[in-house]
Amino acid sequence: MSGQMLTRSILAWDLTGKATALAMVNLVVSVPIIFVSLLGGAITDRVERRQLTIFGQCLILANEVAILALLLSDSLQFWHMLCTAFISGCAFPFIMPARMAITFSAVGPRLIQDAMAFSNGVMNLSRVAGPAIMGVIIASFSISSAYMVSCTLYVLAIACMFGVKRSRSEGSEGQQKALLADIVQGFTYLGENRPLLVCLLFGCLPMFLGMPVQSILVMLAEQSWQQGESGVGILMAVGGIGAVLGSIWMVKRGNSDHRLTLMVGSFLGYALLLAVFAQTPVFYIALLPLLLANIFVSAGHTVNGVAVQLLVDDKLRGRISSFMMMSFGLTPIGVVPLALVADHIGAANAISIACAILVVAVIVFYLASPSLRNLDALVKRKL
């Protein structure tokens, strides 16, 4: 998946030669995540989850095979890419909540932190390894070869899922309401469970205020350090490695009652280190605070995700997981104000302002929310 983001971008550029095509081919993946996530979460809570995951993976595999066939027949057009990218974007909101629910049912509440840390570590490692591997394959062979590798990996992923036990939510086999009623129930449940809502919203803060920085790394690298594409590649690789190390830290740390302290401290550390990174005048010295910042944000997101999974009832796990996925889909919205400010005062200053707002937001959230301050006690009751 991570490697194909690069492959799609290169292919879109080859077909059109337009920068807008790069934005479009990635946008049509992210937009369905926002709107289809609610549907995917509701369906996850009413069907067998392993089967749903396999169905979604097969849909994405069919897309990859279709693009490969069009490439080999020399008939691929840009609109084909948009259609298949949109279908893939519709499949992910079904796969991700189902995988999260399967993970929780497989390991239980005591081991969910380790399981999520491992899972996040693999995802973050793929951010580095996926584009690197696909880049080498494209440079050494062809884009068609990259799609062949992608299809092979999806076949292996589907085969692995057959080794996972079947999983259903509690009460999913009883009398079911209309699908829209299930979606509404998810919102109602979230509104009635303030600690869960607060935890979800708190986890969104770094995603709206910090994560959009990834989108202006090209601008920052050029303005601050006069680094080209290779410099951006180094920055992205270091960020990915830091995220992997953050996941390893969470595995080594194990379960703990002090989740709130770690979550708040990690988000504050992320904001401060990201600001230091943006203002450091020497490129290779700036890599250290960037590495540490990604360690902190990876750890904070893991702890936040674990707290959400422990607070939610199993019968609504898919729907609440879909809310978490929606927040990932909405993250690009934060790029717009950051980019506008960066155009006026420079990328480094814009990032520093965003980091300052994140620090203030985290502190205000903590001081204003008794539910957040009582998070450890609430989670402990669930264990």
Side-chain angles (χ1 to χ4, degrees), residues 110 253 255-261 375-377 380 383:
R110 291 287 178 182
R253 182 179 181 273
N255 232 341
S256 172
D257 293 336
H258 304 292
R259 289 183 174 82
L260 178 61
T261 300
L375 181 65
D376 286 335
K380 191 172 182 179
L383 291 173

Side-chain angles (χ1 to χ4, degrees), residues 209-210 213 216 220 224-225 270-280 338 341-342 345-360:
L209 296 169
V213 169
I216 64 167
L220 178 67
S224 297
W225 306 297
Y270 168 64
L272 294 172
L273 285 163
L274 197 61
V276 171
F277 154 72
Q279 296 295 335
T280 300
L338 183 66
V341 175
I345 63 174
N349 291 330
I351 292 171
S352 298
I353 291 173
C355 291
I357 295 173
L358 177 56
V359 169
V360 172

Side-chain angles (χ1 to χ4, degrees), residues 33 80 97-98 112 124 127 138 178 198 208 247 278 291 297 340 342 360 365:
I33 292 177
H80 294 138
I112 187 61
N124 288 317
R127 285 170 47 198
I138 292 171
V198 166
F208 282 106
S247 299
L291 180 78
V297 76
L340 290 173
V360 172
F365 216 110

Side-chain angles (χ1 to χ4, degrees), residues 236-289:
M236 294 181 69
V238 169
I241 292 169
V244 173
L245 293 176
S247 299
I248 294 173
W249 174 27
M250 288 297 95
V251 173
K252 291 290 186 181
R253 182 179 181 273
N255 232 341
S256 172
D257 293 336
H258 304 292
R259 289 183 174 82
L260 178 61
T261 300
L262 180 59
M263 191 171 17
V264 173
S266 294
F267 288 167
L268 289 175
Y270 168 64
L272 294 172
L273 285 163
L274 197 61
V276 171
F277 154 72
Q279 296 295 335
T280 300
V282 181
F283 178 72
Y284 287 101
I285 295 177
L287 298 180
L288 179 59

Side-chain angles (χ1 to χ4, degrees), residues 43-108:
I43 291 178
T44 297
D45 287 331
R46 58 164 58 199
V47 303
E48 200 279 302
R49 294 156 172 170
R50 187 189 72 170
Q51 187 177 6
L52 181 62
T53 304
I54 292 173
F55 173 78
Q57 289 175 324
C58 287
L59 193 60
I60 296 175
L61 173 61
N63 271 345
E64 300 294 280
V65 171
I67 292 293
L68 177 58
L70 290 167
L71 273 171
L72 294 176
S73 63
D74 198 26
S75 3
L76 180 67
Q77 297 181 36
F78 183 61
W79 70 268
H80 294 138
M81 294 192 64
L82 293 179
C83 291
T84 54
F86 180 80
I87 294 171
S88 293
C90 290
F92 289 130
F94 293 92
I95 295 173
M96 298 306 182
R99 284 176 61 88
M100 179 61 67
I102 290 171
T103 301
F104 190 90
S105 64
V107 303

Side-chain angles (χ1 to χ4, degrees), residues 71-381:
L71 273 171
L72 294 176
S73 63
D74 198 26
S75 3
L76 180 67
Q77 297 181 36
F78 183 61
W79 70 268
H80 294 138
M81 294 192 64
L82 293 179
C83 291
T84 54
F86 180 80
I87 294 171
S88 293
C90 290
F92 289 130
F94 293 92
I95 295 173
M96 298 306 182
R99 284 176 61 88
M100 179 61 67
I102 290 171
T103 301
F104 190 90
S105 64
V107 303
R110 291 287 178 182
L111 294 176
I112 187 61
Q113 180 163 306
D114 285 352
M116 288 188 66
F118 274 120
S119 179
N120 290 342
V122 170
M123 289 296 294
N124 288 317
L125 182 62
S126 75
R127 285 170 47 198
V128 181
I133 292 171
M134 288 302 186
V136 170
I137 292 172
I138 292 171
S140 303
F141 301 99
S142 65
I143 289 183
S144 298
S145 299
Y147 270 91
M148 290 178 187
V149 171
S150 176
C151 291
T152 302
L153 292 176
Y154 272 114
V155 169
L156 290 173
I158 293 168
C160 287
M161 283 306 299
F162 282 101
V164 177
K165 291 183 179 180
R166 293 179 180 273
S167 171
R168 283 185 175 272
S169 67
E170 296 174 0
S172 63
E173 296 179 343
Q175 186 177 3
Q176 293 180 340
K177 307 173 184 176
L179 195 57
L180 180 59
D182 278 352
I183 295 174
V184 172
Q185 185 185 14
F187 281 101
T188 303
Y189 176 81
L190 195 58
E192 293 173 349
N193 288 265
R194 190 171 182 80
L196 181 60
L197 176 62
V198 166
C199 199
L200 273 173
L201 293 176
F202 189 69
C204 288
L205 293 180
M207 297 182 68
F208 282 106
L209 296 169
M211 291 301 179
V213 169
Q214 301 274 355
S215 299
I216 64 167
L217 281 180
V218 175
M219 184 178 184
L220 178 67
E222 181 62 36
Q223 289 182 346
S224 297
W225 306 297
Q226 293 73 54
Q227 295 285 331
E229 293 179 356
S230 61
V232 177
I234 292 172
L235 293 176
M236 294 181 69
V238 169
I241 292 169
V244 173
L245 293 176
S247 299
I248 294 173
W249 174 27
M250 288 297 95
V251 173
K252 291 290 186 181
R253 182 179 181 273
N255 232 341
S256 172
D257 293 336
H258 304 292
R259 289 183 174 82
L260 178 61
T261 300
L262 180 59
M263 191 171 17
V264 173
S266 294
F267 288 167
L268 289 175
Y270 168 64
L272 294 172
L273 285 163
L274 197 61
V276 171
F277 154 72
Q279 296 295 335
T280 300
V282 181
F283 178 72
Y284 287 101
I285 295 177
L287 298 180
L288 179 59
L290 176 64
L291 180 78
L292 295 173
N294 280 275
I295 290 175
F296 276 117
V297 76
S298 175
H301 276 148
T302 298
V303 175
N304 179 264
V306 169
V308 169
Q309 293 300 321
L310 290 172
L311 289 172
V312 68
D313 292 337
D314 186 67
K315 63 182 180 181
L316 288 106
R317 193 173 305 281
R319 276 162 281 186
I320 299 305
S321 295
S322 73
F323 287 129
M324 295 178 69
M325 190 165 184
M326 280 180 65
S327 65
F328 282 97
L330 289 168
T331 299
I333 294 175
V335 176
V336 176
L338 183 66
L340 290 173
V341 175
D343 281 338
H344 286 85
I345 63 174
N349 291 330
I351 292 171
S352 298
I353 291 173
C355 291
I357 295 173
L358 177 56
V359 169
V360 172
V362 169
I363 293 173
V364 169
F365 216 110
Y366 175 81
L367 295 176
S369 175
S371 296
L372 183 64
R373 295 196 300 272
N374 198 36
L375 181 65
D376 286 335
L378 293 170
V379 169
K380 191 172 182 179
R381 292 179 205 160

